[in-house]
């Protein structure tokens, strides 16, 4: 998924605990030491130890790199195993359920709603508070994102320049570049995001 949290934002403790346990279990299944996985994932041994213990606040990009090193994907580490833990979306007019992966003190948040394995795709629902911003790291070459704005106005800050989407509008972007989501309006922006090829 390749995203990096902005200053003042964090992954949730439930998410951190879930991925830490899953990373440790997959590492042990492979017979790898902490050092071997840290090197394969391009992170420090200390960071990986803290992630496995649920004591680190890793960026989403760091989780993605570790998932790739374990030959799995971000969604497999992040999503709950049972519907009772919050997988899936509610009906019209109901609160949307999902896995809260990222949140900021201003109320901005990202929910991972679901994913497919082959081809790999992730469905997300994002909310950015007024003035909210999320800076992302580039995904793998060829990766793309589809955005559809449900409410408000979303600004996609891309290398080629900004792209603004109003409520009801959609866009496809290459996510193998540095980019950011911005809400430059006085009202929250809510948008759906589909990630493919990451």
């Amino acid at each position: 998924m390749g995203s990096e949290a902005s200053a003042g934002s964090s992954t949730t403790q439930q998410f951190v605990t879930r991925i830490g346990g899953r990373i440790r279990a997959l590492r042990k299944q492979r017979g790898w030491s902490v050092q071997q996985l840290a090197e394969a994932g391009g992170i420090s041994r200390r960071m990986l130890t803290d992630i496995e213990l649920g004591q680190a606040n890793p960026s989403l990009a760091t989780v993605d790199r570790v998932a790739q090193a374990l030959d799995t994907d971000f969604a497999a580490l992040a999503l709950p195993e049972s519907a009772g833990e919050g997988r899936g979306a509610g009906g019209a007019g109901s609160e949307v359920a999902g896995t809260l992966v990222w949140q900021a003190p201003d109320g901005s948040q990202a929910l991972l709603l679901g994913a497919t394995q082959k081809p790999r795709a992730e469905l997300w629902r994002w909310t950015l508070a007024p003035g909210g911003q999320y800076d992302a790291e580039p995904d793998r070459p060829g990766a793309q994102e589809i955005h559809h704005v449900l409410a408000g106005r979303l600004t996609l800050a891309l290398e080629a320049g900004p792209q603004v989407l109003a409520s009801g509008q959609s866009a496809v972007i290459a996510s193998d570049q540095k980019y950011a989501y911005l809400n430059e309006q006085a009202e929250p922006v809510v948008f759906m995001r589909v990630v493919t090829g990451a």
Side-chain angles (χ1 to χ4, degrees):
M1 120 95 229
S3 297
E4 181 77 44
S6 302
S9 61
S10 66
T11 51
T12 67
Q13 186 57 49
Q14 182 181 26
F15 169 76
V16 168
T17 301
R18 179 183 298 129
I19 62 161
R22 288 184 179 166
I23 288 169
R24 181 184 310 114
L26 289 170
R27 176 181 60 76
K28 288 183 176 185
Q29 283 176 6
R30 286 182 169 246
W32 282 6
S33 68
V34 171
Q35 185 65 40
Q36 286 173 304
L37 179 54
E39 289 174 5
I43 64 172
S44 72
R45 183 178 182 273
R46 177 70 180 162
M47 171 62 88
L48 179 58
T49 298
D50 287 348
I51 290 170
E52 287 191 358
L53 295 173
Q55 297 174 349
N57 185 14
S59 71
L60 304 185
T62 297
V63 175
D64 194 44
R65 284 194 306 272
V66 173
Q68 289 175 30
L70 289 167
D71 198 28
T72 189
D73 59 42
F74 182 91
L77 295 177
L79 285 172
E81 291 182 14
S82 70
E85 288 185 71
R87 179 180 276 180
S94 67
E95 184 175 321
V96 175
T99 299
L100 181 61
V101 173
W102 171 82
Q103 62 186 353
D106 65 7
S108 297
Q109 66 177 14
L111 295 170
L112 179 58
L113 301 177
T116 61
Q117 294 297 314
K118 292 184 181 180
R120 287 186 178 174
E122 299 168 0
L123 176 63
W124 294 77
R125 181 181 171 107
W126 284 72
T127 302
L128 286 181
Q133 178 171 337
Y134 184 88
D135 298 313
E137 292 181 1
D139 288 321
R140 292 185 229 188
Q144 294 184 312
E145 294 185 1
I146 305 167
H147 302 92
H148 179 76
V149 178
L150 300 173
R153 291 174 65 89
L154 172 65
T155 300
L156 299 169
L158 308 171
E159 290 177 356
Q163 184 174 359
V164 179
L165 302 175
S167 181
Q169 292 184 318
S170 301
V172 177
I173 67 164
S175 59
D176 56 0
Q177 62 179 312
K178 286 197 105 162
Y179 59 100
Y181 309 138
L182 308 168
N183 180 3
E184 300 174 318
Q185 306 300 309
E187 298 296 325
V189 61
V190 179
F191 63 99
M192 303 302 291
R193 171 181 179 244
V194 176
V195 181
T196 63

